[in-house]
């Protein structure tokens, strides 16, 4: 009787198999670092962002780091505003037309308000945080979950934050948005059919532009997105349906 391989070997093989990963907010910070790390490992990246000027250079970077066994894979980079339901719908349509249905989606696009007490946060700034962090996440779920259901499999990762599980002064809009992402994730987990899973993933405290806006020069004491990406990629690639509804931290 043949002894089955250890579970860690099965998970490693699953992570090593080439996957198609959609990442929102891919032009900078955690999204860009994760995209480059995945491309380096031979995975296909579908990336979107509003920063059109940064997307063409990212396409070149992705091609240059792609592993030798994945040089023929075409990464798809699109100008998409996750705040717009129509824009996300167009992204979903393009993905289906190119037969590039993602195995994994990372809802990474996010923003934070400038440090301020809630009664001093400008209305448009509050709205932007809600529109990107909550509505943007919901727009992606609205248009891509049906595609994954049709494909009978898929992992959805909603980027959360430590401030989606705790709170801090001066960033109330951001805290509210990330608490919403945590609640949205848990609720959607109860709606997904077999074969799909959704998790909320806190990246930890990483030296991004968003952290710099809160912490100032102290942000430099924390890890860079580039040093964070390998660990994050390992974790995301190894997620399974058993993780459905979990709140995790890299």
């Amino acid at each position: 009787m043949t002894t089955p391989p250890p579970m860690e070997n099965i998970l490693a093989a699953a992570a090593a198999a080439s996957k198609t990963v959609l990442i929102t907010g891919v032009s900078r910070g955690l999204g860009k670092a994760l995209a480059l790390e995945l491309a380096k490992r031979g995975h296909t990246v579908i990336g979107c962002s509003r920063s059109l000027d940064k997307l063409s250079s990212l396409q070149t970077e992705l091609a240059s780091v792609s592993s030798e066994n994945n040089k023929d894979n075409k990464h798809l980079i699109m100008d998409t505003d996750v705040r717009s339901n129509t824009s996300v719908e167009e992204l979903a349509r393009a993905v289906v037309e190119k037969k590039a249905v993602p195995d994994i989606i990372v809802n990474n696009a996010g923003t934070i308000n400038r440090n301020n007490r809630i009664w001093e946060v400008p209305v448009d700034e509050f709205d932007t945080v809600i529109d990107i962090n909550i509505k943007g996440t919901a727009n992606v779920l609205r248009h891509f979950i049906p595609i994954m259901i049709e494909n009978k499999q898929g992992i959805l990762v909603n980027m959360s934050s430590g401030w989606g599980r705790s709170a801090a002064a001066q960033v109330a809009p951001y805290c509210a948005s990330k608490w919403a992402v945590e609640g949205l994730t848990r609720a959607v987990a109860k709606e997904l059919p077999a074969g799909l899973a959704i998790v909320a993933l806190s990246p930890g405290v990483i030296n991004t532009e968003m952290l710099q806006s809160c912490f100032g020069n102290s942000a430099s004491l924390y890890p860079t997105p580039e040093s964070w990406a390998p660990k994050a990629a390992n974790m995301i690639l190894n997620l399974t349906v058993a993780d459905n509804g979990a709140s995790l931290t890299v």
Side-chain angles (χ1 to χ4, degrees):
M1 180 175 175
T2 305
T3 304
M7 180 55 68
E8 58 267 24
N9 291 356
I10 296 173
L11 291 175
S18 181
K19 291 186 170 73
T20 298
V21 185
L22 167 63
I23 306 172
T24 66
V26 79
S27 65
R28 62 181 181 173
L30 302 183
K32 180 178 180 180
L34 181 60
L36 292 171
E37 178 66 27
L38 291 170
K40 191 187 307 180
R41 298 185 185 200
H43 302 288
T44 300
V45 172
I46 303 169
C48 67
S49 168
R50 291 179 295 148
S51 303
L52 190 57
D53 56 323
K54 296 179 180 178
L55 291 180
S56 58
S57 60
L58 176 60
Q59 181 84 58
T60 303
E61 288 183 74
L62 287 170
S64 68
V65 302
S66 293
S67 65
E68 286 301 324
N69 63 350
N70 198 38
K71 288 295 184 183
D72 292 335
N73 273 8
K74 304 297 183 188
H75 302 295
L76 176 62
I77 304 299
M78 289 188 64
D79 174 20
T80 302
D81 184 351
V82 296
R83 298 174 299 180
S84 164
N85 182 65
T86 301
S87 185
V88 176
E89 185 177 22
E90 290 171 357
L91 172 65
R93 187 181 302 116
V95 163
V96 171
E97 287 174 356
K98 293 180 181 295
K99 295 181 170 52
V101 175
D103 301 296
I104 301 170
I105 292 175
V106 182
N107 264 317
N108 167 74
T111 191
I112 196 167
N113 59 286
R114 288 170 293 181
N115 286 6
N116 243 331
R117 294 174 296 186
I118 187 64
W119 58 93
E120 294 169 333
V121 176
V123 171
D124 60 343
E125 195 172 314
F126 185 95
D127 287 349
T128 297
V129 171
I130 300 304
D131 287 348
I132 294 176
N133 295 6
I134 304 176
K135 293 181 182 178
T137 297
N139 285 338
V140 173
L141 299 182
R142 179 179 300 114
H143 292 290
F144 280 91
I145 288 178
I147 296 171
M148 287 183 151
I149 290 175
E150 191 172 337
N151 213 34
K152 296 184 170 53
Q153 61 94 27
I155 301 290
L156 299 127
V157 180
N158 291 334
M159 293 301 281
S160 181
S161 168
W163 283 340
R165 303 165 191 172
S166 63
Q170 306 281 310
V171 287
Y174 181 76
C175 291
S177 73
K178 291 304 183 179
W179 276 82
V181 167
E182 291 277 340
L184 179 68
T185 302
R186 293 187 190 188
V188 173
K190 298 178 182 297
E191 300 172 351
L192 294 178
L196 275 69
I198 188 168
V199 304
L201 181 64
S202 169
V205 186
I206 311 299
N207 181 14
T208 61
E209 290 179 26
M210 285 172 53
L211 191 72
Q212 291 160 20
S213 85
C214 304
F215 285 19
N217 292 335
S218 299
S220 62
L221 300 173
Y222 296 92
T224 64
E226 291 73 24
S227 64
W228 166 87
K231 184 178 179 182
N234 287 342
M235 191 170 196
I236 290 169
L237 291 169
N238 280 297
L239 291 170
T240 71
V241 292
D243 297 304
N244 190 37
S247 292
L248 307 171
T249 302
V250 176

